[in-house]
Amino acid sequence: MLDVLAASPLLTMMLVVALGTLVGMIPFGPVRFGPAGALFVGLAVGALDPRLGEGLGLVQSLGLALFVYTVGLAAGSGFFRDLRSQLPLMGGSVVVLALVAVVTLVLGGALGLAPALNAGTFAGALTSTPALAAATAQAGSQDPAVGYSLAYPVGVVLTILVVAAVLARPWRTVRDPDPVAGVGLIDISVEVERPTRLLDIPGVAEREVRLSYLERAGQTRVVAADEELRAGDRVVVVGPEPAVRRAREHLGHRVSDHLAHDRSEVDYRRFIVSDRAVAGRTVGELDVPGRFRGVVTRVKRGDLDLLAHEDLVLELGDRVRVVYPRGEIDGLTQLFGDSQRRVSEIDALSLGIGLALGLLVGLVTLPLPGGIAFALGSAAGPLVVGMILGRLERTGPLVWGLPGSANLTIRQLGLLLFLGATGLASGQAFASSAFSVTGLKIVALAVVVVATAAGLFVLLARLVGTSAARAAGGLAGFVGQPAILAYANGRTVDERVDAGYAALFALGIIAKIVLVQVVGAV
């Protein structure tokens, strides 16, 4: 059987992925390891025969590149929007990493571990493969890989436990606005009691509510952008419940006869954005009111139900709810495309160009003081490029974003390939040292390193006013482990998780590459 697996690396990888998925579904108290199960199964299988972990470098790099690039695309827009607010967390995380490096040096020396093992333990506890590569090149041996393979599972497990604790008892902060995710939208009909301009309604100018239907003198139409409402008018207000309540108090009183139920003159429908000419453009650029006398009220994006506004950028796969006069449906269908088949297709051109750019950026090597060389590698390079392209949305005819379902599928596949290949490649080193005295020392050091890093990071997040969701994603990026991000996303639907991860992942890799060489030199 081992001969068969050794002769077919693809078969081995698929078995590890399948078994790892099963292991990831097993609950260990409040924790399920999810995709990280592929790592642990890979370690076990790789320990059986050294041949099983050979020649997987390409699979490992490809899986990691796919994962981080799709994360960057999804989080890029939010990251740059929130960059100023996240600067304290980003700067503080570098200080925390420096303190953790000092702890590794002091405790590793007290335990009698060699500098190369200390460096590998530092890289493994913080799950940084690029840092391991830097430590190995500096040591000139595979000793750092031993520390890495033993500390890596410790880093994953303990950090997942910390993330579980953070999300189990979330805290709120005024410095980190509530997420769009999970905030349900409602729509009600309101009778206007006093004349008012549309922009004077609380929440309209702030993009917290949107009006759609207007009934006046027995005739129903769509509200105009410069509407002057009169006493006796009836309108439909859309938005989160608190914002809708404030708008209703300003306008008048709610009526039970909901205007949206009468579709004889004005209708509504969700259209799928499948036309690439629309993706990457804002709601305002489409000019739905001017072209179709309608109004876009909501945008369904994955699990998020977003209130539409003029500057909201549409993405492939968005389901756009439009209120429009009857008879305009053909034009709206042609505008958005409204094709489920087309939106399921991946633009291989933009995906290939984006990944190639990311990998090229990862190859750039910069010399640093002390003879240290730095490169982003296949982990941070595609992430950084993905974030930039995710912010740009489109460049001429190229739409950089992926449909939400396609993004998640590629992300999951890349993550499983990366973790399975990492486990298989590290299995032998893990088995040879796991139950020795040196192995126990490495594990003890890893526990202290991870506990110190996670504890200081959570404390930092509280001090700078970061929400629990952003702290959980930030901790996953700070440690640098995609499985932790996947676990956090499985526990909560909140876009701040990905934004926190993207903010700290690349920065963490840079800092760890520099610090691991300091640890290995002392």
Side-chain angles (χ1 to χ4, degrees), residues 115-125 132 135 143-149 151-152 516 519:
L117 290 176
N118 287 335
T121 303
F122 176 83
L132 170 65
D143 287 347
V146 175
Y148 179 87
S149 61
Y152 192 98
V516 76
V519 173

Side-chain angles (χ1 to χ4, degrees), residues 2 164 168 202 278 295 306 388 404 445 450 453 471 481 490-491 502:
L2 290 177
V278 173
V295 60
L306 309 175
I388 295 172
L445 176 60
V450 177
Q481 176 45 249
R491 289 290 302 272

Side-chain angles (χ1 to χ4, degrees), residues 225-306:
D226 57 351
E227 197 73 62
E228 297 274 353
L229 298 180
R230 307 172 186 172
D233 287 349
R234 291 188 174 188
V235 294
V236 171
V237 184
V238 185
E241 194 276 332
V244 169
R245 183 178 63 252
R246 289 191 295 271
R248 188 262 304 161
E249 292 171 350
H250 174 84
L251 289 168
H253 63 276
R254 181 175 181 176
V255 295
S256 57
D257 188 13
H258 194 22
L259 295 180
H261 293 165
D262 182 5
R263 306 173 73 165
S264 59
E265 299 177 62
V266 177
D267 205 351
Y268 66 88
R269 180 181 160 185
R270 287 193 186 271
F271 298 87
I272 300 173
V273 177
S274 62
D275 192 328
R276 297 187 181 277
V278 173
R281 304 193 184 280
T282 65
V283 170
E285 288 176 335
L286 300 183
D287 191 22
V288 171
R291 298 168 63 186
F292 305 102
R293 296 174 295 147
V295 60
V296 178
T297 59
R298 312 184 193 189
V299 175
K300 187 78 171 179
R301 180 172 297 163
D303 292 332
L304 308 182
D305 200 6
L306 309 175

